[in-house]
Amino acid sequence: MSDIQDENTYIPLNDVRQAMDKAAKLAGRESGDITLIAISKTRAADEIRPLIEAGHRVFGENRVQEAAEKWPQLRAQYAGLELHMVGQLQSNKADDAVALFDAIHSLDRPSLVKALGKAMRKAERTIPCFIQVNIGEEEQKGGCAIADVPDLLALAEEQGIPVTGLMCVPPLGLEPSPYFALLAKKADELGLKALSMGMSGDYEAAIKIGATHIRVGSALFGIRD
């Protein structure tokens, strides 16, 4: 069963929720403990509204400027929306990010930690963050080296930033489960409870390994042009 807004509009939200339920059950977990972040980057407000009207409230964006153009109006129209920053964040956008987002998943370097700490103090607003780990040690990807996570976590604590967990994007084209397991192991070693991992193609595997937040775009909105 799927949510339908009218006879011409199909929204696969329930399909994703059912897949989440199944994966969670196989892992002996409750799907209610897993946050589905609908990745709405490059999607116009009119594409996002049907998902909101179907009951979904948690969304993710990759760029501060794009989020600033869409979400203030959507927040004015709909109550209870929660917005996560899931893309790489420039330090000079820290003030804007703290004002716009309810969580940041891309804490990956000391300069950003310091910029966000300063921005949160200035705004008198503290928001939870995830440390992004370059789990596959890929030169082209953002994220800190896994060996550097403890030092970055310590710096975040010094800056008053609440780090709730770790985030990763496994290497494209490889089996993701070993990378998810490595992230889960590191989070456990550090006493962090949250794991932001799993996207449209692999969120079921991520759930089975312990993901608490999954970032799903194309499975909800369709393939981008």
Side-chain angles (χ1 to χ4, degrees):
M1 295 178 61
S2 297
D3 293 298
I4 297 175
Q5 298 303 299
D6 59 51
E7 63 182 6
N8 298 314
T9 304
Y10 165 68
I11 301 173
L13 179 60
N14 275 7
D15 295 345
V16 173
R17 286 175 173 165
Q18 287 171 4
M20 289 174 64
D21 289 343
K22 182 177 179 181
K25 185 176 181 180
L26 288 171
R29 303 179 63 198
E30 295 291 335
S31 60
D33 295 333
I34 303 156
T35 299
L36 169 61
I37 304 170
I39 303 302
S40 51
K41 65 178 183 179
T42 76
R43 307 295 181 176
D46 285 345
E47 295 177 90
I48 298 169
R49 284 192 185 94
L51 209 59
I52 298 173
E53 290 169 1
H56 195 68
R57 286 296 179 269
V58 186
F59 293 83
E61 291 282 344
N62 276 40
R63 298 178 185 276
V64 171
Q65 184 174 347
E66 183 184 346
E69 291 170 355
K70 293 187 296 193
W71 286 96
Q73 182 181 2
L74 287 168
R75 285 185 187 273
Q77 289 179 293
Y78 302 99
L81 297 180
E82 186 176 312
L83 191 60
H84 292 232
M85 175 64 177
V86 298
Q88 278 198 290
L89 179 60
Q90 296 175 333
S91 296
N92 63 3
K93 298 288 187 182
D95 286 349
D96 293 334
V98 168
L100 275 169
F101 293 97
D102 301 296
I104 293 172
H105 292 239
S106 47
L107 206 62
D108 65 353
R109 60 196 186 279
S111 60
L112 179 59
V113 170
K114 293 174 182 177
L116 282 172
K118 181 179 179 181
M120 289 184 195
R121 291 190 294 273
K122 179 180 175 182
E124 298 183 343
R125 182 172 191 247
T126 301
I127 59 176
C129 293
F130 293 75
I131 292 176
Q132 182 177 353
V133 182
N134 187 345
I135 202 72
E137 300 180 345
E138 299 173 273
E139 290 183 6
Q140 76 276 19
K141 274 188 181 173
C144 72
I146 195 164
D148 295 336
V149 173
D151 288 342
L152 199 64
L153 177 60
L155 180 60
E157 290 173 349
E158 288 176 12
Q159 292 291 317
I161 297 174
V163 175
T164 60
L166 304 181
M167 180 271 234
C168 78
V169 180
L172 185 65
L174 297 180
E175 168 57 44
S177 294
Y179 296 97
F180 293 152
L182 180 58
L183 192 77
K185 180 175 182 289
K186 191 64 180 180
D188 185 62
E189 290 173 357
L190 295 169
L192 298 173
K193 303 297 185 184
L195 291 167
S196 174
M197 59 188 195
M199 298 186 290
S200 288
D202 55 23
Y203 66 86
E204 292 165 270
I207 288 171
K208 293 173 186 175
I209 295 171
T212 60
H213 296 69
I214 58 173
R215 311 180 306 273
V216 178
S218 59
L220 291 169
F221 292 101
I223 301 298
R224 293 181 184 84
D225 293 334

